Amino acid sequence: GAVVSQHPSWVICKSGTSVKIECRSLDFQATTMFWYRQFPKQSLMLMATSNEGSKATYEQGVEKDKFLINHASLTLSTLTVTSAHPEDSSFYICSARDAGFNSPLHFGNGTRLTVT
Amino acid sequence: AQKVTQAQTEISVVEKEDVTLDCVYETRDTTYYLFWYKQPPSGELVFLIRRNSFDEQNEISGRYSWNFQKSTSSFNFTITASQVVDSAVYFCALSEETSGSRLTFGEGTQLTVNP
């Protein structure tokens, strides 16, 4: 079946540095990808919708200059956490669909980010 | 606006007991999808089921069953003869046609199955 690969699965970085997370659709083309964030013992919250070849759409309250999203191809979307702070420590997970609304969503395995 | 409510924050059962996880949703769309996902401690989301708004048939898959009732806007999930490996956080989610494939998740229910 369709697979979404997310890399890295975990990362530790120092405060002030930037971290890039990749989300790849391995056997289908994803026109749209979604980035979610999950704090410990909380639900998943949508951060942004990434559309191939156009700017991402950010949810209210998500800083677009801090969380840079690039969807340069139909199989790759990247999320860059810029100038990371300890409060950015979270579990980030992407999802992708290979067609319209009726097509199923596929999730990556997530990236656990720890900012020290 | 779409909303999903999972009123049960934590449930603890003994192995072999049946357990039902509740999910109530709100939407103004007539076309939407409902989902259940399992999230084990490792963090990945395991897809369990997707149900569209026009299909109210209940579904059974092994020890899992789902009861979709549009009249009460509920999509409950029952695990029969629970096992320790069922211990996880379970999320109910909603996707409206007018919102594309954006998922709105409930708060999740932590299920602990004790031996």
Side-chain angles (χ1 to χ4, degrees):
Chain A
V3 176
V4 172
S5 174
Q6 194 171 336
H7 179 81
S9 56
W10 61 269
V11 58
I12 302 173
C13 72
K14 292 188 175 180
S15 200
T17 61
S18 295
V19 173
K20 180 185 286 188
I21 303 170
E22 292 186 349
C23 180
R24 292 182 185 274
S25 55
L26 297 185
D27 56 358
F28 66 97
Q29 294 185 328
T31 55
T32 303
M33 291 185 176
F34 302 89
W35 288 96
Y36 293 84
R37 179 170 54 183
Q38 184 183 30
F39 291 109
K41 297 190 182 299
Q42 293 188 24
S43 187
L44 291 87
M45 300 299 294
L46 180 66
M47 298 175 66
T49 302
S50 169
N51 299 296
E52 188 268 336
S54 64
K55 290 183 179 180
T57 303
Y58 290 82
E59 296 299 302
Q60 193 172 7
V62 177
E63 300 174 57
K64 61 179 67 175
D65 294 330
K66 180 169 185 59
F67 299 99
L68 300 180
I69 292 174
N70 185 291
H71 194 156
S73 77
L74 285 170
T75 59
L76 173 65
S77 176
T78 60
L79 168 67
T80 301
V81 183
T82 62
S83 187
H85 291 284
E87 56 265 32
D88 298 325
S89 298
S90 187
F91 188 64
Y92 294 86
I93 190 164
C94 69
S95 71
R97 67 176 192 215
D98 54 3
F101 172 68
N102 292 322
S103 63
L105 276 172
H106 309 285
F107 279 88
N109 284 341
T111 298
R112 198 165 300 280
L113 169 64
T114 302
V115 184
T116 61
Chain B
Q2 54 190 24
K3 182 179 179 182
V4 177
T5 301
Q6 293 178 254
Q8 305 148 309
T9 305
E10 296 182 15
I11 299 177
S12 183
V13 299
V14 177
E15 211 170 13
K16 297 185 183 177
E17 284 185 13
D18 298 347
V19 59
T20 295
L21 309 182
D22 297 333
C23 174
V24 175
Y25 63 92
E26 295 177 28
T27 178
R28 293 181 180 177
D29 276 26
T30 56
T31 304
Y32 53 89
Y33 280 99
L34 294 163
F35 302 76
W36 275 96
Y37 288 91
K38 174 183 179 180
Q39 188 178 44
S42 51
E44 76 273 17
L45 283 178
V46 178
F47 169 79
L48 297 178
I49 190 172
R50 182 178 73 149
R51 172 69 59 183
N52 77 56
S53 52
F54 299 107
D55 183 2
E56 283 194 74
Q57 279 193 339
N58 291 332
E59 181 155 340
I60 298 175
S61 177
R63 296 184 297 108
Y64 296 168
S65 62
W66 291 269
N67 183 348
F68 178 26
Q69 292 196 345
K70 288 179 76 171
S71 59
T72 56
S73 297
S74 64
F75 187 45
N76 296 338
F77 171 35
T78 297
I79 302 175
T80 304
S82 60
Q83 300 175 1
V84 173
V85 293
D86 295 328
S87 298
V89 179
Y90 290 85
F91 290 99
C92 180
L94 167 69
S95 176
E96 295 173 326
E97 184 178 43
T98 54
S99 301
S101 291
R102 300 167 62 223
L103 281 181
T104 295
F105 286 86
E107 293 301 311
T109 297
Q110 170 70 61
L111 173 64
T112 302
V113 181
N114 298 300

PDB file of all heavy atoms in Angstrom, chain A residues 9 15 19 24 26 29 31 34 42-43 49 52 58-61 65 72 76 79 83 85 89 100 103 106 110-111:
ATOM      1  N   SER A   9      13.357  10.386  12.339  1.00  0.00           N
ATOM      2  CA  SER A   9      12.335   9.930  13.279  1.00  0.00           C
ATOM      3  C   SER A   9      12.490  10.630  14.623  1.00  0.00           C
ATOM      4  O   SER A   9      11.521  10.758  15.380  1.00  0.00           O
ATOM      5  CB  SER A   9      12.400   8.409  13.452  1.00  0.00           C
ATOM      6  OG  SER A   9      13.703   8.021  13.850  1.00  0.00           O
ATOM      7  N   SER A  15      19.064  25.110  21.155  1.00  0.00           N
ATOM      8  CA  SER A  15      18.236  26.292  21.014  1.00  0.00           C
ATOM      9  C   SER A  15      18.887  27.279  20.058  1.00  0.00           C
ATOM     10  O   SER A  15      20.099  27.515  20.119  1.00  0.00           O
ATOM     11  CB  SER A  15      18.064  26.932  22.398  1.00  0.00           C
ATOM     12  OG  SER A  15      16.960  27.772  22.429  1.00  0.00           O
ATOM     13  N   VAL A  19      16.006  23.144  12.195  1.00  0.00           N
ATOM     14  CA  VAL A  19      15.873  21.710  11.945  1.00  0.00           C
ATOM     15  C   VAL A  19      14.919  21.496  10.774  1.00  0.00           C
ATOM     16  O   VAL A  19      13.855  22.115  10.716  1.00  0.00           O
ATOM     17  CB  VAL A  19      15.294  20.992  13.198  1.00  0.00           C
ATOM     18  CG1 VAL A  19      15.006  19.539  12.886  1.00  0.00           C
ATOM     19  CG2 VAL A  19      16.253  21.116  14.361  1.00  0.00           C
ATOM     20  N   ARG A  24       8.079  12.293   2.635  1.00  0.00           N
ATOM     21  CA  ARG A  24       8.079  11.797   1.255  1.00  0.00           C
ATOM     22  C   ARG A  24       6.976  10.788   1.023  1.00  0.00           C
ATOM     23  O   ARG A  24       6.753   9.894   1.853  1.00  0.00           O
ATOM     24  CB  ARG A  24       9.412  11.100   0.936  1.00  0.00           C
ATOM     25  CG  ARG A  24      10.603  11.998   0.889  1.00  0.00           C
ATOM     26  CD  ARG A  24      11.864  11.221   0.527  1.00  0.00           C
ATOM     27  NE  ARG A  24      13.039  12.086   0.592  1.00  0.00           N
ATOM     28  CZ  ARG A  24      13.458  12.840  -0.401  1.00  0.00           C
ATOM     29  NH1 ARG A  24      12.819  12.826  -1.560  1.00  0.00           N
ATOM     30  NH2 ARG A  24      14.520  13.597  -0.266  1.00  0.00           N
ATOM     31  N   LEU A  26       6.189   7.677  -1.036  1.00  0.00           N
ATOM     32  CA  LEU A  26       7.102   6.744  -1.698  1.00  0.00           C
ATOM     33  C   LEU A  26       6.536   6.113  -2.965  1.00  0.00           C
ATOM     34  O   LEU A  26       7.286   5.799  -3.879  1.00  0.00           O
ATOM     35  CB  LEU A  26       7.518   5.645  -0.719  1.00  0.00           C
ATOM     36  CG  LEU A  26       8.304   6.119   0.502  1.00  0.00           C
ATOM     37  CD1 LEU A  26       8.778   4.943   1.332  1.00  0.00           C
ATOM     38  CD2 LEU A  26       9.493   6.978   0.081  1.00  0.00           C
ATOM     39  N   GLN A  29       1.981  10.137  -5.904  1.00  0.00           N
ATOM     40  CA  GLN A  29       2.241  11.570  -5.964  1.00  0.00           C
ATOM     41  C   GLN A  29       1.245  12.296  -5.085  1.00  0.00           C
ATOM     42  O   GLN A  29       0.034  12.066  -5.188  1.00  0.00           O
ATOM     43  CB  GLN A  29       2.133  12.050  -7.417  1.00  0.00           C
ATOM     44  CG  GLN A  29       3.226  11.477  -8.316  1.00  0.00           C
ATOM     45  CD  GLN A  29       3.178  12.053  -9.716  1.00  0.00           C
ATOM     46  OE1 GLN A  29       2.116  12.372 -10.211  1.00  0.00           O
ATOM     47  NE2 GLN A  29       4.322  12.206 -10.343  1.00  0.00           N
ATOM     48  N   THR A  31      -0.314  15.712  -4.113  1.00  0.00           N
ATOM     49  CA  THR A  31      -0.484  17.132  -4.427  1.00  0.00           C
ATOM     50  C   THR A  31      -0.614  17.955  -3.147  1.00  0.00           C
ATOM     51  O   THR A  31      -0.300  19.135  -3.130  1.00  0.00           O
ATOM     52  CB  THR A  31      -1.730  17.347  -5.290  1.00  0.00           C
ATOM     53  OG1 THR A  31      -2.869  16.787  -4.618  1.00  0.00           O
ATOM     54  CG2 THR A  31      -1.578  16.676  -6.638  1.00  0.00           C
ATOM     55  N   PHE A  34      -0.023  17.472   4.705  1.00  0.00           N
ATOM     56  CA  PHE A  34      -0.450  18.168   5.909  1.00  0.00           C
ATOM     57  C   PHE A  34       0.591  17.955   6.999  1.00  0.00           C
ATOM     58  O   PHE A  34       1.119  16.858   7.167  1.00  0.00           O
ATOM     59  CB  PHE A  34      -1.804  17.643   6.392  1.00  0.00           C
ATOM     60  CG  PHE A  34      -2.901  17.757   5.364  1.00  0.00           C
ATOM     61  CD1 PHE A  34      -3.112  16.730   4.464  1.00  0.00           C
ATOM     62  CD2 PHE A  34      -3.699  18.881   5.297  1.00  0.00           C
ATOM     63  CE1 PHE A  34      -4.116  16.828   3.502  1.00  0.00           C
ATOM     64  CE2 PHE A  34      -4.704  18.984   4.344  1.00  0.00           C
ATOM     65  CZ  PHE A  34      -4.911  17.959   3.450  1.00  0.00           C
ATOM     66  N   GLN A  42      -1.369  15.151  24.367  1.00  0.00           N
ATOM     67  CA  GLN A  42      -2.371  15.985  23.730  1.00  0.00           C
ATOM     68  C   GLN A  42      -2.726  15.432  22.359  1.00  0.00           C
ATOM     69  O   GLN A  42      -2.130  14.454  21.891  1.00  0.00           O
ATOM     70  CB  GLN A  42      -1.868  17.433  23.607  1.00  0.00           C
ATOM     71  CG  GLN A  42      -1.705  18.131  24.934  1.00  0.00           C
ATOM     72  CD  GLN A  42      -1.403  19.601  24.776  1.00  0.00           C
ATOM     73  OE1 GLN A  42      -1.732  20.219  23.757  1.00  0.00           O
ATOM     74  NE2 GLN A  42      -0.771  20.182  25.781  1.00  0.00           N
ATOM     75  N   SER A  43      -3.693  16.057  21.748  1.00  0.00           N
ATOM     76  CA  SER A  43      -4.135  15.607  20.433  1.00  0.00           C
ATOM     77  C   SER A  43      -3.240  16.166  19.336  1.00  0.00           C
ATOM     78  O   SER A  43      -2.330  16.957  19.602  1.00  0.00           O
ATOM     79  CB  SER A  43      -5.580  16.058  20.207  1.00  0.00           C
ATOM     80  OG  SER A  43      -6.085  15.509  19.012  1.00  0.00           O
ATOM     81  N   THR A  49      -1.179  23.310   5.684  1.00  0.00           N
ATOM     82  CA  THR A  49      -1.444  22.486   4.510  1.00  0.00           C
ATOM     83  C   THR A  49      -0.453  22.883   3.437  1.00  0.00           C
ATOM     84  O   THR A  49      -0.338  24.068   3.095  1.00  0.00           O
ATOM     85  CB  THR A  49      -2.876  22.714   4.007  1.00  0.00           C
ATOM     86  OG1 THR A  49      -3.786  22.405   5.053  1.00  0.00           O
ATOM     87  CG2 THR A  49      -3.170  21.846   2.790  1.00  0.00           C
ATOM     88  N   GLU A  52       1.744  21.400  -3.509  1.00  0.00           N
ATOM     89  CA  GLU A  52       2.853  21.349  -4.442  1.00  0.00           C
ATOM     90  C   GLU A  52       2.842  22.560  -5.360  1.00  0.00           C
ATOM     91  O   GLU A  52       1.811  22.875  -5.979  1.00  0.00           O
ATOM     92  CB  GLU A  52       2.799  20.048  -5.254  1.00  0.00           C
ATOM     93  CG  GLU A  52       4.009  19.812  -6.128  1.00  0.00           C
ATOM     94  CD  GLU A  52       3.825  20.365  -7.528  1.00  0.00           C
ATOM     95  OE1 GLU A  52       2.676  20.508  -7.967  1.00  0.00           O
ATOM     96  OE2 GLU A  52       4.850  20.652  -8.167  1.00  0.00           O
ATOM     97  N   TYR A  58      -1.292  28.192   6.409  1.00  0.00           N
ATOM     98  CA  TYR A  58      -1.030  27.972   7.823  1.00  0.00           C
ATOM     99  C   TYR A  58      -2.314  28.142   8.638  1.00  0.00           C
ATOM    100  O   TYR A  58      -3.152  28.990   8.330  1.00  0.00           O
ATOM    101  CB  TYR A  58       0.034  28.950   8.326  1.00  0.00           C
ATOM    102  CG  TYR A  58       1.414  28.660   7.778  1.00  0.00           C
ATOM    103  CD1 TYR A  58       1.787  29.100   6.508  1.00  0.00           C
ATOM    104  CD2 TYR A  58       2.338  27.941   8.532  1.00  0.00           C
ATOM    105  CE1 TYR A  58       3.038  28.824   5.998  1.00  0.00           C
ATOM    106  CE2 TYR A  58       3.601  27.661   8.022  1.00  0.00           C
ATOM    107  CZ  TYR A  58       3.942  28.101   6.760  1.00  0.00           C
ATOM    108  OH  TYR A  58       5.184  27.824   6.256  1.00  0.00           O
ATOM    109  N   GLU A  59      -2.415  27.355   9.675  1.00  0.00           N
ATOM    110  CA  GLU A  59      -3.542  27.489  10.590  1.00  0.00           C
ATOM    111  C   GLU A  59      -3.328  28.707  11.479  1.00  0.00           C
ATOM    112  O   GLU A  59      -2.200  29.182  11.676  1.00  0.00           O
ATOM    113  CB  GLU A  59      -3.698  26.228  11.435  1.00  0.00           C
ATOM    114  CG  GLU A  59      -4.050  24.997  10.624  1.00  0.00           C
ATOM    115  CD  GLU A  59      -5.365  25.124   9.893  1.00  0.00           C
ATOM    116  OE1 GLU A  59      -6.402  25.348  10.556  1.00  0.00           O
ATOM    117  OE2 GLU A  59      -5.356  25.015   8.648  1.00  0.00           O
ATOM    118  N   GLN A  60      -4.412  29.187  12.005  1.00  0.00           N
ATOM    119  CA  GLN A  60      -4.341  30.362  12.864  1.00  0.00           C
ATOM    120  C   GLN A  60      -3.441  30.086  14.055  1.00  0.00           C
ATOM    121  O   GLN A  60      -3.540  29.031  14.696  1.00  0.00           O
ATOM    122  CB  GLN A  60      -5.754  30.712  13.354  1.00  0.00           C
ATOM    123  CG  GLN A  60      -5.872  32.070  13.992  1.00  0.00           C
ATOM    124  CD  GLN A  60      -7.324  32.441  14.285  1.00  0.00           C
ATOM    125  OE1 GLN A  60      -8.219  31.614  14.128  1.00  0.00           O
ATOM    126  NE2 GLN A  60      -7.552  33.664  14.687  1.00  0.00           N
ATOM    127  N   GLY A  61      -2.572  31.017  14.321  1.00  0.00           N
ATOM    128  CA  GLY A  61      -1.685  30.880  15.465  1.00  0.00           C
ATOM    129  C   GLY A  61      -0.352  30.227  15.152  1.00  0.00           C
ATOM    130  O   GLY A  61       0.526  30.173  16.020  1.00  0.00           O
ATOM    131  N   ASP A  65       6.790  32.256   9.522  1.00  0.00           N
ATOM    132  CA  ASP A  65       8.227  32.551   9.404  1.00  0.00           C
ATOM    133  C   ASP A  65       9.056  31.628  10.282  1.00  0.00           C
ATOM    134  O   ASP A  65      10.269  31.515  10.098  1.00  0.00           O
ATOM    135  CB  ASP A  65       8.505  34.002   9.788  1.00  0.00           C
ATOM    136  CG  ASP A  65       7.876  34.969   8.809  1.00  0.00           C
ATOM    137  OD1 ASP A  65       7.747  34.597   7.622  1.00  0.00           O
ATOM    138  OD2 ASP A  65       7.502  36.090   9.211  1.00  0.00           O
ATOM    139  N   ALA A  72       8.222  21.269  -2.942  1.00  0.00           N
ATOM    140  CA  ALA A  72       8.800  21.535  -4.250  1.00  0.00           C
ATOM    141  C   ALA A  72       8.495  20.481  -5.296  1.00  0.00           C
ATOM    142  O   ALA A  72       8.609  20.735  -6.489  1.00  0.00           O
ATOM    143  CB  ALA A  72      10.316  21.688  -4.111  1.00  0.00           C
ATOM    144  N   LEU A  76       7.640  15.268  -2.176  1.00  0.00           N
ATOM    145  CA  LEU A  76       8.416  15.735  -1.035  1.00  0.00           C
ATOM    146  C   LEU A  76       7.896  17.056  -0.510  1.00  0.00           C
ATOM    147  O   LEU A  76       7.720  18.030  -1.247  1.00  0.00           O
ATOM    148  CB  LEU A  76       9.892  15.896  -1.431  1.00  0.00           C
ATOM    149  CG  LEU A  76      10.811  16.529  -0.382  1.00  0.00           C
ATOM    150  CD1 LEU A  76      10.911  15.630   0.851  1.00  0.00           C
ATOM    151  CD2 LEU A  76      12.207  16.788  -0.971  1.00  0.00           C
ATOM    152  N   LEU A  79       9.430  20.538   6.327  1.00  0.00           N
ATOM    153  CA  LEU A  79       9.086  21.492   7.376  1.00  0.00           C
ATOM    154  C   LEU A  79      10.385  21.873   8.060  1.00  0.00           C
ATOM    155  O   LEU A  79      11.100  20.999   8.565  1.00  0.00           O
ATOM    156  CB  LEU A  79       8.127  20.854   8.380  1.00  0.00           C
ATOM    157  CG  LEU A  79       7.896  21.608   9.688  1.00  0.00           C
ATOM    158  CD1 LEU A  79       7.168  22.921   9.443  1.00  0.00           C
ATOM    159  CD2 LEU A  79       7.115  20.744  10.686  1.00  0.00           C
ATOM    160  N   SER A  83      15.224  28.729  14.143  1.00  0.00           N
ATOM    161  CA  SER A  83      15.555  29.284  15.457  1.00  0.00           C
ATOM    162  C   SER A  83      14.748  28.572  16.544  1.00  0.00           C
ATOM    163  O   SER A  83      13.948  29.177  17.263  1.00  0.00           O
ATOM    164  CB  SER A  83      15.270  30.795  15.482  1.00  0.00           C
ATOM    165  OG  SER A  83      15.726  31.363  16.677  1.00  0.00           O
ATOM    166  N   HIS A  85      13.295  26.732  19.735  1.00  0.00           N
ATOM    167  CA  HIS A  85      13.318  26.979  21.174  1.00  0.00           C
ATOM    168  C   HIS A  85      12.781  25.743  21.885  1.00  0.00           C
ATOM    169  O   HIS A  85      12.074  24.928  21.265  1.00  0.00           O
ATOM    170  CB  HIS A  85      12.471  28.197  21.515  1.00  0.00           C
ATOM    171  CG  HIS A  85      13.055  29.494  21.032  1.00  0.00           C
ATOM    172  ND1 HIS A  85      14.123  30.102  21.663  1.00  0.00           N
ATOM    173  CD2 HIS A  85      12.757  30.263  19.975  1.00  0.00           C
ATOM    174  CE1 HIS A  85      14.427  31.207  21.018  1.00  0.00           C
ATOM    175  NE2 HIS A  85      13.629  31.336  19.983  1.00  0.00           N
ATOM    176  N   SER A  89       9.738  21.850  21.168  1.00  0.00           N
ATOM    177  CA  SER A  89       9.886  20.408  21.344  1.00  0.00           C
ATOM    178  C   SER A  89       8.507  19.755  21.259  1.00  0.00           C
ATOM    179  O   SER A  89       7.596  20.115  21.999  1.00  0.00           O
ATOM    180  CB  SER A  89      10.532  20.095  22.693  1.00  0.00           C
ATOM    181  OG  SER A  89      11.826  20.651  22.765  1.00  0.00           O
ATOM    182  N   GLY A 100      -8.071  13.188  -4.744  1.00  0.00           N
ATOM    183  CA  GLY A 100      -9.028  14.121  -4.186  1.00  0.00           C
ATOM    184  C   GLY A 100      -9.511  13.741  -2.798  1.00  0.00           C
ATOM    185  O   GLY A 100      -8.967  12.858  -2.136  1.00  0.00           O
ATOM    186  N   SER A 103      -9.912  10.157  -1.577  1.00  0.00           N
ATOM    187  CA  SER A 103      -8.783   9.252  -1.452  1.00  0.00           C
ATOM    188  C   SER A 103      -8.330   9.191  -0.004  1.00  0.00           C
ATOM    189  O   SER A 103      -8.499  10.139   0.750  1.00  0.00           O
ATOM    190  CB  SER A 103      -7.625   9.703  -2.347  1.00  0.00           C
ATOM    191  OG  SER A 103      -7.156  10.968  -1.936  1.00  0.00           O
ATOM    192  N   HIS A 106      -2.564   9.148   4.207  1.00  0.00           N
ATOM    193  CA  HIS A 106      -1.479   8.293   4.683  1.00  0.00           C
ATOM    194  C   HIS A 106      -0.581   9.126   5.594  1.00  0.00           C
ATOM    195  O   HIS A 106      -0.205  10.240   5.245  1.00  0.00           O
ATOM    196  CB  HIS A 106      -0.670   7.755   3.500  1.00  0.00           C
ATOM    197  CG  HIS A 106      -1.532   7.119   2.445  1.00  0.00           C
ATOM    198  ND1 HIS A 106      -2.096   5.876   2.597  1.00  0.00           N
ATOM    199  CD2 HIS A 106      -1.942   7.572   1.241  1.00  0.00           C
ATOM    200  CE1 HIS A 106      -2.816   5.589   1.526  1.00  0.00           C
ATOM    201  NE2 HIS A 106      -2.739   6.594   0.677  1.00  0.00           N
ATOM    202  N   GLY A 110       6.215  10.101  11.974  1.00  0.00           N
ATOM    203  CA  GLY A 110       6.434  11.183  12.915  1.00  0.00           C
ATOM    204  C   GLY A 110       7.897  11.460  13.211  1.00  0.00           C
ATOM    205  O   GLY A 110       8.772  10.604  13.018  1.00  0.00           O
ATOM    206  N   THR A 111       8.148  12.668  13.691  1.00  0.00           N
ATOM    207  CA  THR A 111       9.487  13.099  14.096  1.00  0.00           C
ATOM    208  C   THR A 111       9.388  13.695  15.484  1.00  0.00           C
ATOM    209  O   THR A 111       8.612  14.630  15.707  1.00  0.00           O
ATOM    210  CB  THR A 111      10.044  14.162  13.133  1.00  0.00           C
ATOM    211  OG1 THR A 111      10.175  13.611  11.835  1.00  0.00           O
ATOM    212  CG2 THR A 111      11.399  14.674  13.623  1.00  0.00           C
TER     213      THR A 111
END
